[in-house]
């Protein structure tokens, strides 16, 4: 009985010790106000935190090219100011961001296009452009972690409509269940070595 209680306690404590982390350097190429970047990081960080993955945001300084791989960020996200929506209506996330994937399905760099993001946020003013940029960053990091494909539901869907913007404004837009299992596992496998 006493052993059972002890094991139960260990399991209940496990998430606190089990949280994975990954580092993401955000390169503010378009020179957006720092506050915009910080708000986007907070939104993207929330999405990962809800899966017990802590994102450590870094700047885009010399560490990005550090000779020692342990000092380099796990991912680099470049924020660009350009980009336009191809049409009104449900908008392909490809207009708002792009993950650069290697042939083996991995990658460590993505771009997000603040111009297109702001256009969609203006079209459906139910969510802010910083919020939408945060979810676009989370989507592209999702590609870099679990591959190029899109899913019919959740954050890895191919396009966003007003409905998804309303959901993300309430922080209800998340990775789907399978992705919520796959992403922390991938972070542990790929980046757990630095512990
Ligand atoms: Zn995508």
């Amino acid at each position: 009985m006493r052993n059972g209680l002890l094991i139960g306690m260990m399991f209940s404590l496990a998430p606190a010790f089990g949280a994975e982390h990954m580092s993401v350097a955000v390169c503010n190429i378009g020179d957006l106000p720092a506050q915009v970047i910080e708000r986007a990081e907070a939104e993207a960080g929330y999405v990962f935190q809800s899966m017990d993955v802590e994102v450590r945001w870094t700047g885009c300084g010399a560490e990005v090219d550090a000779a020692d791989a342990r000092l380099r960020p796990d991912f680099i996200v470049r924020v660009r100011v350009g980009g336009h929506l191809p049409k009104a209506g449900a908008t392909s996330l490809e207009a708002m961001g792009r993950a650069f994937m290697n042939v083996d399905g991995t990658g460590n760099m993505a771009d997000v296009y603040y111009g297109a993001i702001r256009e969609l946020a203006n079209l459906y003013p139910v969510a802010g452009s910083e919020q939408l940029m945060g979810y676009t960053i989370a989507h592209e990091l999702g590609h870099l972690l679990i591959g190029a494909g899109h899913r019919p539901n959740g954050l890895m869907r191919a396009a966003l409509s007003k409905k998804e913007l309303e959901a993300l404004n309430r922080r209800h837009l998340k990775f789907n269940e399978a992705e919520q299992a796959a992403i922390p596992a991938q972070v542990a496998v790929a980046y757990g070595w630095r512990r």
Side-chain angles (χ1 to χ4, degrees):
M1 189 62 194
R2 187 171 289 176
N3 280 349
L5 184 65
L6 195 60
I7 288 165
M9 282 175 67
M10 285 168 73
F11 274 111
S12 66
L13 289 171
F17 295 108
E20 298 297 334
H21 66 261
M22 62 187 200
S23 57
V24 180
V26 175
C27 302
N28 185 6
I29 290 175
D31 224 8
L32 290 169
Q35 201 181 32
V36 172
I37 304 286
E38 281 161 21
R39 282 187 189 155
E41 289 174 356
E43 291 298 323
Y46 174 81
V47 172
F48 282 91
Q49 202 177 42
S50 70
M51 302 182 290
D52 250 346
V53 173
E54 183 205 338
V55 180
R56 294 183 181 165
W57 303 99
T58 73
C60 192
E63 67 268 29
V64 168
D65 296 314
D68 184 344
R70 286 170 300 180
L71 300 177
R72 277 183 235 144
D74 299 325
F75 300 102
I76 299 167
V77 175
R78 301 182 298 192
V79 177
R80 300 181 178 279
V81 284
H84 287 288
L85 300 186
K87 60 175 171 59
T91 296
S92 165
L93 268 147
E94 274 160 35
M96 294 186 283
R98 174 184 293 181
F100 298 94
M101 311 291 295
N102 302 318
V103 281
D104 67 356
T106 65
N108 74 337
M109 186 180 283
D111 282 352
V112 297
Y113 308 115
Y114 188 68
I117 289 166
R118 199 175 38 197
E119 281 183 20
L120 186 63
N122 288 343
L123 187 64
Y124 302 127
V126 290
S129 51
E130 295 98 339
Q131 271 183 311
L132 183 53
M133 181 157 78
Y135 278 81
T136 306
I137 290 172
H139 175 98
E140 302 308 334
L141 289 171
H143 280 313
L144 296 175
L145 284 160
I146 56 170
H150 288 128
R151 308 296 188 300
N153 62 338
L155 193 37
M156 293 313 290
R157 54 190 303 127
L160 297 180
S161 66
K162 187 181 179 196
K163 190 172 150 228
E164 281 76 44
L165 264 69
E166 282 168 346
L168 77 80
N169 183 49
R170 297 194 307 271
R171 287 185 158 177
H172 286 177
L173 186 63
K174 295 188 165 147
F175 290 105
N176 74 21
E177 231 166 90
E179 291 151 7
Q180 288 190 30
I183 287 173
Q186 176 60 19
V187 173
V189 167
Y191 308 105
W193 58 272
R194 293 160 318 173
R195 283 168 178 246

